[in-house]
């Protein structure tokens, strides 16, 4: 846990839902859906013998090309449940053979390349943060919602059984997609970033929130504009609009996405939610034990005997 809170640069209460929240996101999704999602999967030679991997692409926000890795169990029968997966801050889509857990469990697994991340890139928390229309995460959320559309078009996937999952930044994206995408089976968010910004700025000792704290310390006159922008993507706002059952977890010693922020999102979650806190855990939020719990949750939600 962190020590004494930092100054409350955005106040102490969760950000209110903007009056035009639904219209804002309906417009963003409508602009994206003017373009055919056009999923394209090109086989990748990975030397794996039980998992087929594809270099996957589709049309995301404003029609831009979004990439990812699609992983399918090689020995499959019938249409598969699917998980759409967003990674943590700066990770991008990683390598074709990273994180084989979900496809090994029998699911189609689409890990989305968060725009501009991966490689030498870190993150973009401050990009366009003074204007909701130009904010980086506006289009990132739309990309991930379009990833759900894209995976539902695949012949190998049962479009009625799709879940959104993510860790850290990906957890915040998962909560966001849970408010934007229709008929998801589940939303799994581990140590979600982009959640309860006022509290995060008071308690986070490491990670991206410190970038924003520094920015607001240097530019206090921009606090109102920043708060307005973040309110559209904050995990608490997303939780207020959740329709799919949620599985949310955190670590009680997390100083990057403090547990207080996750609790606020859980309290706001508008659909049934299960919440697990891991004593002594940091940002890994229970690690393998938490992943095992997620696998059990998905097995239940996908109605697999």
């Amino acid at each position: 846990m962190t020590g004494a809170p930092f100054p409350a640069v955005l106040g102490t209460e969760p950000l209110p839902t903007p009056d035009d929240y639904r219209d804002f996101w309906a417009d963003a999704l409508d602009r994206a859906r003017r373009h055919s999602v056009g999923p394209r999967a090109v086989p990748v030679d990975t030397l794996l013998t039980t998992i087929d991997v594809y270099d996957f692409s589709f049309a995301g926000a404003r029609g831009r090309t979004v990439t990812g890795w699609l992983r399918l169990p090689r020995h499959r029968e019938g249409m598969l449940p699917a998980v759409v997966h967003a990674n943590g801050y700066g990770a991008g889509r990683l390598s074709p053979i990273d994180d084989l857990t979900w496809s090994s469990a029998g699911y189609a697994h689409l890990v989305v390349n968060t725009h501009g991340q991966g490689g030498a890139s870190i993150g973009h928390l401050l990009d366009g943060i003074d204007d909701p229309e130009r904010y980086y995460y506006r289009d990132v959320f739309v990309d991930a919602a379009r990833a759900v559309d894209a995976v539902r078009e695949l012949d190998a996937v049962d479009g009625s059984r799709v879940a959104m999952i993510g860790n850290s930044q990906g957890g915040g994206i998962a909560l966001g997609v849970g408010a934007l995408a229709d008929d998801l089976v589940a939303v799994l968010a581990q140590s979600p970033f982009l959640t309860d910004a006022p509290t995060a700025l008071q308690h986070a000792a490491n990670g991206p929130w410190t970038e924003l704290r520094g920015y607001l310390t240097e530019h206090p006159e921009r606090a109102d504009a920043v708060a307005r922008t973040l309110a559209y993507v904050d995990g608490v706002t997303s939780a207020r609009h959740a329709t799919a059952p949620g599985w949310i977890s955190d670590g009680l010693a997390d100083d990057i996405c403090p547990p207080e922020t996750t609790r606020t999102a859980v309290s706001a979650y508008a659909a049934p939610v299960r919440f697990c806190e891991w004593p002594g855990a940091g940002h890994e939020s229970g690690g393998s034990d938490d992943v095992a719990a997620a696998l059990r949750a998905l097995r239940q939600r996908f109605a697999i005997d």
Side-chain angles (χ1 to χ4, degrees):
M1 298 290 290
T2 58
F6 294 93
V9 291
L10 288 187
T12 59
E13 297 298 319
L15 298 174
T17 300
D19 291 341
D20 65 343
Y21 176 84
R22 293 188 183 279
D23 291 340
F24 176 87
W25 286 112
D27 177 65
L29 291 168
D30 178 66
R31 292 188 196 184
R33 287 172 176 155
R34 294 171 190 171
H35 305 268
S36 171
V37 71
R40 184 170 180 265
V42 178
V44 176
D45 184 7
T46 62
L47 302 181
L48 298 174
T49 60
T50 61
I51 305 295
D52 293 327
V53 182
Y54 301 86
D55 189 348
F56 193 76
S57 61
F58 60 94
R62 308 175 201 266
R64 72 184 180 189
T65 298
V66 181
T67 60
W69 300 121
L70 174 67
R71 303 183 180 102
L72 302 175
R74 179 164 298 173
H75 306 292
R76 54 189 181 270
E77 296 181 4
M79 300 172 75
L80 301 172
V83 291
V84 177
H85 189 175
N87 270 327
Y89 201 64
R93 63 177 177 171
L94 300 175
S95 88
I97 60 172
D98 282 333
D99 197 356
L100 305 178
T101 299
W102 313 99
S103 51
S104 296
Y107 310 141
H109 176 215
L110 174 57
V111 58
V112 181
N113 189 14
T114 310
H115 184 69
Q117 298 192 26
S121 174
I122 306 239
H124 303 267
L125 178 61
L126 302 183
D127 290 2
I129 200 167
D130 293 337
D131 180 355
E133 293 284 344
R134 297 188 303 107
Y135 190 41
Y136 172 79
Y137 282 104
R138 175 191 183 278
D139 284 358
V140 165
F141 279 26
V142 173
D143 287 347
R146 290 285 276 170
V148 173
D149 294 342
V151 83
R152 282 178 165 155
E153 290 200 4
L154 299 178
D155 292 340
V157 168
D158 177 355
S160 68
R161 293 194 293 168
V162 178
M164 185 72 207
I165 67 174
N167 57 298
S168 190
Q169 171 189 251
I173 295 170
L175 291 174
V177 173
L180 303 182
D182 295 328
D183 301 323
L184 290 173
V185 168
V187 170
L188 277 64
Q190 179 193 63
S191 301
F193 177 53
L194 294 171
T195 297
D196 192 5
T199 300
L201 287 169
Q202 289 185 73
H203 291 276
N206 289 296
W209 285 121
T210 64
E211 298 176 42
L212 180 55
R213 187 188 302 125
Y215 175 81
L216 290 172
T217 299
E218 185 175 353
H219 302 287
E221 75 282 0
R222 298 180 186 171
D224 287 347
V226 168
R228 178 173 178 267
T229 296
L230 289 176
Y232 290 95
V233 300
D234 194 293
V236 177
T237 311
S238 299
R240 294 175 185 137
H241 296 81
T243 58
W247 277 259
I248 301 176
S249 60
D250 66 22
L252 288 177
D254 191 344
D255 64 356
I256 296 173
C257 296
E260 296 90 343
T261 65
T262 306
R263 290 181 202 137
T264 307
V266 170
S267 296
Y269 204 83
V273 61
R274 295 185 186 178
F275 180 39
C276 183
E277 292 193 298
W278 296 93
H283 197 50
E284 78 282 3
S285 183
S288 297
D289 289 337
D290 199 53
V291 173
L295 285 169
R296 287 192 294 271
L298 284 177
R299 191 170 186 86
Q300 174 188 344
R301 292 301 302 161
F302 287 147
I304 296 173
D305 294 331

